Each structure stands twice: as C-alpha cells, then as structure tokens.
Amino acid sequence: MPIGKAVRVHSSEQVFEELARAILDGEFTPGDALPPERVLAEQAGTSRIIVRQAVHRLADLGLVEVRQGGPTRVVDLAHADLRVFDLLYRFTPARYRRDVLEATILSGLCLLDVASRRASDDQREAIHRLVHDARPANDKTMRILEQRFWNLVADAGGNQLYQMEQRWWDRVFGDDPPRAKSEAETPVSLRYVFFKELAKRLRARRDPVAFYRKHTASLLSELE
C-alpha cells in the first residue's frame, strides 16, 4: 500500500492517519505485516524516525503489535483501544457504514430511555419549547435543531457518559451526520413532525421510547 508524500510539518500525523485508514479500510487484515519502516519512509518521503513515531501511535491504540526484531503485525480490531472509535467514525470507512448507522440510531434510543426516566418537568418543557418554536426551512437548519434536541435530551438524562458521547458525535460528524437512505430522502417537514411528536411525548411522559423505536425500525431494517 503506497502512502502519500508526507507534509513536513505534520509528517508523523499524516503517516499515522494513512496507515490507520488503510487498516480500518481492510487493506491490511489481522495478522498482516506492515511494510518495513525503511519502505514506509521511502513512500512517504520522510525519515524512519517519523515512521516509527506513527507506528508506535498505532501500537498504543492496539491497531498493530510491534515486535523487537520482527515485523509489525496488524491486530484484530476487536482488541483495539476504544480511542479507535474516533478514527473509525471520522474516516467512516465504507465497510463500517452499517455499523456506524446502527450505532447512531440506537444511541438516540438510549438517550431517550434515560431522559424519559430522569428528566425533570422543567427539562421536559425546555425540550418541547425548543422544538415547538423551531421553524427549520432546510436540511441545515433541521440538522441544527436535531443537534440541539439530542444535546438537551442527553443533559436531561443526567448520565455523564451519554452526555460525553453525544458531544463526541457532534465533534466527529459536525453538520454531516450519517443517514440511512430513506432518512436522507425524507423531507425536512416530515423530519420536523417526527421531532415534534418526540418532544410532545417526552413532556407528557407518553413513552417516547416506544414511539422512537417504532419509527426507526424501518431504518434499522435497511441495514440488515
């Protein structure tokens, strides 16, 4: 796998990202040996020291195993560090698209479940008011509403791990979250109606989780 010439200032980062992307894309499979440092350095137009730094970062994340005097081998992704999630979602390799979509859909289910049990009346009202007062005119403004909605729901649940995860999703995907095909084709007006009903049910304590599960079942079925 030839890698691109490294930009001098960020050469270690570039080599690291290109190797990580190649591993996540399946160009290297578990048990495969990476090319020797000398070869990688020649391909990147950089030094072996820079390549070694990048490889050791991969090892720190559990993507490769470095053996003294032997080849550096790729490790099964299931044994990698959780920090690899950030790379996986940021790069969003095509081979993980289904997993990414499934995780994003089910993340909403978890957030709603916690909020429906823990949110105060004031928090429920704030979420309802946010959606009720919104007037999304296009996909961009609808995405902003969705982002603010899920952040409020995460805060209302009070589970710090979910709050951290929700902000992490925002940082990784920004204004371009992954969507199932049917969701991407759904008009903004219908997506808005969906969130209005969710907010209404959350405020009234009328099982928003069941509503969400019912209306996302078709999205999950697309992934099977």
Side-chain angles (χ1 to χ4, degrees):
M1 178 218 71
I3 59 177
K5 295 291 184 181
V7 178
R8 181 175 298 276
V9 178
H10 303 295
S11 55
S12 178
E13 179 70 18
Q14 182 181 339
V15 173
F16 165 76
E17 288 199 356
E18 290 203 29
L19 288 173
R21 190 189 301 272
I23 292 171
L24 294 175
D25 273 336
E27 293 183 41
F28 295 108
T29 58
D32 285 351
L34 293 184
E37 290 179 357
R38 172 183 56 79
V39 174
L40 291 173
E42 290 175 355
Q43 292 176 349
T46 189
S47 70
R48 294 177 64 174
I49 293 177
I50 291 297
V51 169
R52 188 172 300 126
Q53 291 173 348
V55 170
H56 278 281
R57 281 187 64 190
L58 295 173
D60 182 53
L61 292 175
L63 287 174
V64 300
E65 182 180 19
V66 178
R67 295 182 178 180
Q68 188 68 31
T72 296
R73 296 195 178 277
V74 174
V75 177
D76 191 319
L77 190 60
H79 301 293
D81 191 280
L82 286 175
R83 288 173 293 169
V84 171
F85 278 12
D86 186 67
L87 295 176
L88 192 154
Y89 287 125
R90 181 154 53 92
F91 296 154
T92 317
R95 67 197 299 243
Y96 294 107
R97 178 172 174 76
R98 183 182 69 175
D99 292 349
V100 170
L101 287 170
E102 187 173 54
T104 56
I105 294 169
L106 294 179
S107 175
L109 186 68
C110 293
L111 291 175
L112 282 170
D113 179 81
V114 177
S116 66
R117 290 184 285 108
R118 297 182 179 178
S120 67
D121 290 341
D122 287 344
Q123 289 172 320
R124 295 169 192 267
E125 181 61 36
I127 294 170
H128 182 267
R129 185 166 58 252
L130 166 73
V131 179
H132 183 269
D133 293 344
R135 293 293 183 270
N138 50 48
D139 187 74
K140 181 178 180 179
T141 54
M142 185 65 214
R143 169 55 188 155
I144 293 173
L145 172 60
E146 291 173 1
Q147 188 178 69
R148 293 180 63 191
F149 173 87
W150 289 118
N151 284 336
L152 283 182
V153 170
D155 291 343
N159 184 306
Q160 293 186 352
L161 294 181
Y162 284 139
Q163 290 171 353
M164 292 167 61
E165 182 182 48
Q166 178 57 32
R167 267 62 180 192
W168 175 66
W169 283 108
D170 290 344
R171 289 196 304 272
V172 172
F173 291 123
D175 294 331
D176 188 27
R179 297 188 188 280
K181 181 179 179 180
S182 62
E183 182 184 12
E185 295 173 348
T186 301
V188 168
S189 59
L190 292 182
R191 284 161 55 193
Y192 178 54
V193 168
F194 170 72
F195 277 91
K196 282 185 68 174
E197 183 63 22
L198 266 184
K200 178 180 177 181
R201 286 173 176 264
L202 184 61
R203 182 180 66 167
R205 302 176 187 270
R206 288 177 44 219
D207 202 354
V209 175
F211 176 79
Y212 182 88
R213 183 184 291 113
K214 177 182 177 181
H215 284 78
T216 56
S218 60
L219 301 180
L220 291 170
S221 67
E222 289 183 33
L223 310 179
E224 298 175 357

